[in-house]
Each structure stands twice: as C-alpha cells, then as structure tokens.
C-alpha cells in the first residue's frame, strides 16, 4: 500500500470516529505508551541454554519442528531484534532463568546476575526493559512434578534457593533499567490423579514462597508475581497453585497475581476477573495466551476474549496497574512470525478498545437503554480501525499490513535456514 493511500484512509476513518466523539490521535498516543513483555521462550521452544537434555516437563509441551530455532543467546537476541523491528512501539523482554549464559554447568540454586550480564547489556543497548522468571521445570529435581511443594524438605530448600537467587537477579535487572523487573513465579506442582491431601502441598507451597520472599526488595527494582493454573498435562486432578490459592496469597502477601488467559476452564475468561482482582490488588501481571482445548499456549489471535481483556484494561483505566506479558509457544510455524503475530494482535486489541466511545456506552448503560448499548457495541465492530492501525504502523516505522511477513521470510532465507536442528553446545 502507498503511503498516500494509508494517510487518506486514516483521514476518512478518523472522521468516522470523530462523529462518535472518539479522538483518534489521543488513542494512538496512548497505544504508543504501552509496553508488552515478549517472552523469550517462543524463540527456542522453551529450551533455554543450560545444555541439559532433560525434557521440559512440568506439563509444558511444545509441538512442531519448524526449522531454524535459536540455539544460542546470540541467535535468540538476533531473532528478537527482528521481531521488535516489526512491532510498533517499544516493548520489553521476559526472560526465564534457564536462558542465562552459564559457560559450563551451574545448578539452579547457584545462578546469579553475572549469568545475565549479556542480556542486561543487550537490553540497555536496545532500550528494552527486562522481566524475569525462575525456572521450575526441565530439571532432575522437578522430574516427579513437584518443586516448592515437594514432600522432601531438601528438594523444597533447593527450589527455595533458586527463587531467592532469581529475585536478586530481578533486582539487578531493575537497577539497570528505568522500570522494575517483574519476576514471575510459576511452579508445575500437582498430581495426575486424585490426591489424598489437597491441603499439605498448599501449606508447603505457602511456606516455601514465604521463605523466598522473606527479604524485602525495593519494589522500584523488582516486583514479585505468582501465577495460578487450573490443570496441566500430568496435573489433571490437582494443581497446588490454584487460582484461589494464589489470589489469597497475593492479597495477604502483597504480591502481584499473574493471570494466564489459558489457565482456566475453557469457558472461564480472565477478562471478567480483572475488575474483581484489581479491587484488592494494586498491580497484576497478565500472560496473554490462547487456550485451545487442553493446550493453554497457542499464539495469540484477535479473539473476542483478547478484545474483551483489552476493553477491560482501557475502560477501567487499568493500564498503569497491569503488566502485560505474552505466553505461548508454537514450534510448527516460523518462531519470529509467532512473536510478531501475537504481539501485534494484543496491540490491535488495545487500539480497538482505545477507539471506543466508552463514555457514551457508560451513559447509555446508566440510563438503562440497553438496546442502544447493544446496538452501539455491535456497530463498533465494523468501524474502520484497520485504517488507524495501518497509519499507526506507518508512523511507527514498521511494516504496514502483511508486509512484515516479507521481512520474516527474508530473514528465514538469510539467517534461520542456515541453522541445523541440532543444538550448538556452548
Ligand atoms: C505454565 C505457565 C508459565 C510457563 C512459562 C514458560 O503453565 O503458563 O508461565 O508457560 O513459565
Ligand atoms: Zn503463563
């Protein structure tokens, strides 16, 4: 599409929005201020750089064998740079502890900020802020599906030390950037079959977490989040860290709750939970994902639910209190393409929400005119938001429409196709 056409379409679309009382340039400015935390693990199928051959485990399964996955930190950084260059705005990177640069075997309880210096330097150079995650899977001490809630005190202690080490790394990352690092705790702990005690592991999990969080860390540097889940592969009957467990934990311990869109019953949605949990928690973290049947991690598409999440964030004026991260892994398509599609969709959903005449909808609701409320909501679905999105991409200096795909295909030809499937030993 020609620049001129994009601008003309934008002008016409803006006029339509202004008849609804929507200020398009204000929406665009607002969208530009939103940072999405891209998850490093889409780039290499949750592999990490520990050079271990353990299965990922923890109920995480990545399917597909699309060629060209990143095998080293440098390859992953190069892939990320490509992805960021195709997404409008300035975004963040969410790293897992298993992605450190270890130069030899370093067990999880021994990791330190020095193993992430390469990432910190790169992030500063790219003007990207980092978020962090302890890795409670793909490890021999997690092979039976339990970590912080393990019945063995020694194993619990090992994982407690991992958690303590990770918060320190998060604080060092936070000190190197303008905003705090959000360190998110997710553990796989749970049973495939019916437990005799549902309580005991929950007591252990709370006790382990309390020990990890015992040291006060400046929230300007590091913020702790805890992520709940309903069930996983191998933990179908019982997950220790359920929604109720972590909601109570987050409120009583003043932690962020992480809501992953794929971690609930298939008909249960997190969009409806935001206004509830934000009544009791100052800040939360989102893992925007797409559940499909038993999988919780498909690439984010522009679904009704993603739009509903965005609407809630905008209508409730929650953007300053909600950290937005992504969580999906698809190895059946180009991995850079997966990041670009997923992130652009979250931004698109936010733009659609920002282009809504919320005041008018609320007024109709107040007056009890539910017919007009429904009519206006439906009318909004065919408003020309695509023209505004295209213009936003143009002004942000990233490809418009599907043009980004040419860049990804070229990158695949020039870079990804030279990577063999076997991992590089570093
Ligand atoms: C797993 C959780 C968790 C992971 C990442 C890799 O069910 O969603 O967030 O996906 O830590
Ligand atoms: Zn998640």
């Amino acid at each position: 599409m020609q620049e001129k056409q994009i601008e003309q379409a934008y002008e016409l679309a803006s006029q339509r929005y202004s008849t609804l009382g929507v200020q398009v340039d204000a929406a665009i400015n607002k969208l530009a201020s939103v940072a999405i935390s891209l998850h490093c693990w889409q780039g290499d199928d949750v592999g990490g750089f520990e050079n271990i051959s353990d299965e990922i485990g923890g109920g995480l399964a990545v399917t597909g064998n699309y060629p060209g996955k990143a095998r080293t930190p440098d390859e992953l950084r190069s892939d990320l740079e490509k992805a960021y260059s195709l997404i409008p705005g300035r975004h963040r990177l969410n790293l897992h502890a298993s992605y450190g640069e270890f130069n030899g075997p370093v067990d999880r309880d021994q990791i330190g900020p020095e193993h992430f210096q390469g990432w910190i330097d790169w992030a500063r150079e790219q003007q990207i802020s980092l978020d962090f995650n302890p890795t409670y899977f793909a490890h021999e001490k997690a092979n039976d599906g339990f970590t912080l809630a393990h019945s063995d005190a020694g194993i619990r202690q090992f994982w407690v030390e991992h958690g303590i080490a990770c918060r320190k790394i998060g604080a060092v990352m936070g000190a190197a950037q303008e905003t705090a690092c959000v360190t998110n705790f997710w553990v796989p702990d749970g049973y495939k079959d019916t437990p005799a005690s549902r309580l005991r592991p929950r007591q252990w999990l709370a006790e382990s977490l309390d020990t990890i969080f015992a040291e006060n860390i400046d929230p300007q540097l590091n913020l702790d989040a805890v992520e709940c889940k309903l069930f996983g592969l191998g933990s179908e009957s019982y997950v220790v860290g359920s929604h109720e467990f972590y909601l109570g934990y987050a409120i009583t311990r003043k932690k962020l709750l992480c809501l992953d869109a794929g971690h609930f019953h298939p008909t249960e949605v997190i969009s409806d939970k935001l206004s509830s949990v934000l009544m009791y928690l100052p800040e939360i973290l989102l893992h925007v994902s797409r559940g499909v049947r038993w999988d919780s991690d498909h690439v984010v598409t522009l679904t009704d639910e993603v739009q509903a999440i965005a609407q809630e964030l905008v209508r409730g004026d929650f953007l300053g209190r909600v950290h937005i991260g992504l969580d999906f892994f698809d190895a059946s398509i180009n991995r850079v393409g997966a990041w670009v599609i997923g992130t652009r969709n979250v931004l698109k959903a936010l733009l659609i929400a920002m282009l809504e005449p919320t005041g008018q909808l609320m007024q109709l609701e107040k007056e009890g005119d539910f017919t007009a409320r429904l009519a206006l909501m439906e009318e909004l679905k065919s408003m020309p938001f695509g023209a505004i999105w295209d213009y936003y991409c143009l002004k942000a200096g990233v490809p418009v429409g599907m043009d980004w795909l040419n860049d990804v295909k070229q990158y695949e030809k020039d870079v990804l196709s030279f990577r063999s499937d076997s991992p590089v030993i570093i």
Side-chain angles (χ1 to χ4, degrees):
M1 237 198 302
Q2 300 288 313
E3 216 176 296
K4 191 134 194 279
Q5 286 176 305
I6 297 167
E7 279 167 359
Q8 281 171 347
Y10 169 78
E11 288 304 330
L12 291 171
S14 296
Q15 283 165 23
R16 293 236 0 236
Y17 278 106
S18 68
T19 61
L20 289 177
V22 174
Q23 292 239 335
V24 172
D25 39 349
I28 283 184
N29 288 338
K30 198 169 179 177
L31 184 62
S33 71
V34 177
I36 311 278
S37 198
L38 272 72
H39 52 314
C40 71
W41 54 92
Q42 165 58 52
D44 74 334
D45 313 341
V46 205
F49 303 121
E50 291 171 315
N51 290 323
I52 42 153
S53 53
D54 282 87
E55 300 243 313
I56 314 173
L60 306 177
V62 188
T63 45
N65 53 4
Y66 200 88
K69 80 169 166 195
R71 301 159 303 170
T72 64
D74 283 337
E75 288 183 353
L76 188 57
R77 287 191 273 261
S78 152
D79 295 358
L80 280 161
E81 283 175 33
K82 178 49 73 179
Y84 289 120
S85 75
L86 304 173
I87 298 164
R90 185 157 295 290
H91 301 289
R92 304 173 65 92
L93 174 66
N94 196 8
L95 272 178
H96 239 286
S98 53
Y99 286 72
E101 292 168 271
F102 301 110
N103 297 314
V106 181
D107 211 350
R108 300 266 172 91
D109 57 341
Q110 300 296 322
I111 62 169
E114 65 276 18
H115 302 120
F116 294 86
Q117 198 54 50
W119 284 107
I120 293 170
D121 294 342
W122 173 80
R124 175 170 295 152
E125 192 188 290
Q126 299 288 318
Q127 294 179 276
I128 277 172
S129 293
L130 298 173
D131 296 307
F132 200 51
N133 304 258
T135 309
Y136 287 105
F137 50 82
H139 190 280
E140 55 177 13
K141 288 197 171 67
N143 278 349
D144 61 2
F146 275 82
T147 61
L148 290 178
H150 205 285
S151 58
D152 181 298
I155 294 186
R156 287 204 302 279
Q157 186 55 31
F158 173 83
W159 288 116
V160 162
E161 268 150 34
H162 178 56
I164 291 172
C166 285
R167 289 182 82 219
K168 290 191 175 138
I169 295 165
V172 170
M173 288 175 171
Q177 59 200 32
E178 275 169 23
T179 51
C181 167
V182 179
T183 298
N184 178 51
F185 285 75
W186 173 76
V187 297
D189 303 32
Y191 283 121
K192 182 183 179 72
D193 228 326
T194 318
S197 174
R198 290 179 182 270
L199 177 62
R200 198 71 190 96
R202 289 186 170 138
Q203 292 169 329
W204 277 321
L205 180 54
E207 190 186 294
S208 295
L209 289 169
D210 285 348
T211 316
I212 292 172
F213 298 138
E215 188 185 329
N216 272 329
I217 293 185
D218 184 352
Q220 305 244 23
L221 302 180
N222 181 72
L223 292 167
D224 307 301
V226 288
E227 181 177 5
C228 60
K229 192 169 183 173
L230 175 68
F231 80 97
L233 296 174
S235 60
E236 291 83 356
S237 301
Y238 170 70
V239 168
V240 184
S242 63
H243 179 47
E244 291 72 13
F245 175 89
Y246 277 129
L247 180 60
Y249 191 87
I251 292 170
T252 52
R253 272 62 165 190
K254 301 192 174 19
K255 299 295 168 196
L256 277 69
L257 179 70
C258 172
L259 292 173
D260 184 313
H263 282 195
F264 295 87
H265 276 287
T267 58
E268 191 180 357
V269 284
I270 67 164
S271 51
D272 183 50
K273 300 183 189 299
L274 301 176
S275 56
S276 295
V277 300
L278 284 163
M279 283 184 59
Y280 306 104
L281 291 167
E283 289 180 50
I284 62 167
L285 168 66
L286 297 186
H287 271 186
V288 186
S289 183
R290 176 168 54 107
V292 176
R293 305 192 191 283
W294 51 82
D295 179 65
S296 63
D297 300 292
H298 273 59
V299 178
V300 171
T301 55
L302 193 56
T303 56
D304 286 351
E305 171 58 2
V306 170
Q307 293 186 57
I309 292 169
Q311 281 163 352
E312 283 302 303
L313 296 181
V314 175
R315 288 180 191 166
D317 198 16
F318 292 139
L319 281 164
R321 296 167 56 194
V322 178
H323 303 260
I324 308 175
L326 302 176
D327 187 6
F328 48 79
F329 20 98
D330 189 339
S332 72
I333 60 174
N334 180 297
R335 294 169 185 79
V336 177
W339 270 320
V340 177
I341 293 168
T343 317
R344 285 176 70 123
N345 277 329
V346 174
L347 292 169
K348 260 189 212 170
L350 286 166
L351 176 63
I352 295 170
M354 288 165 183
L355 290 170
E356 179 189 270
T358 307
Q360 211 178 315
L361 284 171
M362 302 250 178
Q363 184 58 29
L364 292 169
E365 188 163 275
K366 199 170 155 205
E367 288 163 6
D369 191 349
F370 304 141
T371 313
R373 180 183 66 181
L374 182 62
L376 180 52
M377 281 184 179
E378 289 308 294
E379 192 55 29
L380 289 171
K381 291 180 181 171
S382 55
M383 285 293 285
F385 75 87
I388 313 289
W389 169 253
D390 288 345
Y391 178 82
Y392 177 61
C393 289
L394 178 76
K395 293 294 155 190
V398 302
V400 174
M402 267 183 57
D403 286 357
W404 63 265
L405 189 58
N406 300 330
D407 283 55
V408 169
K409 293 241 150 126
Q410 192 62 44
Y411 184 69
E412 182 166 316
K413 211 165 138 212
D414 297 344
V415 180
L416 302 181
S417 67
F418 293 100
R419 294 180 189 167
S420 75
D421 281 345
S422 49
V424 171
I425 304 297
I426 47 166

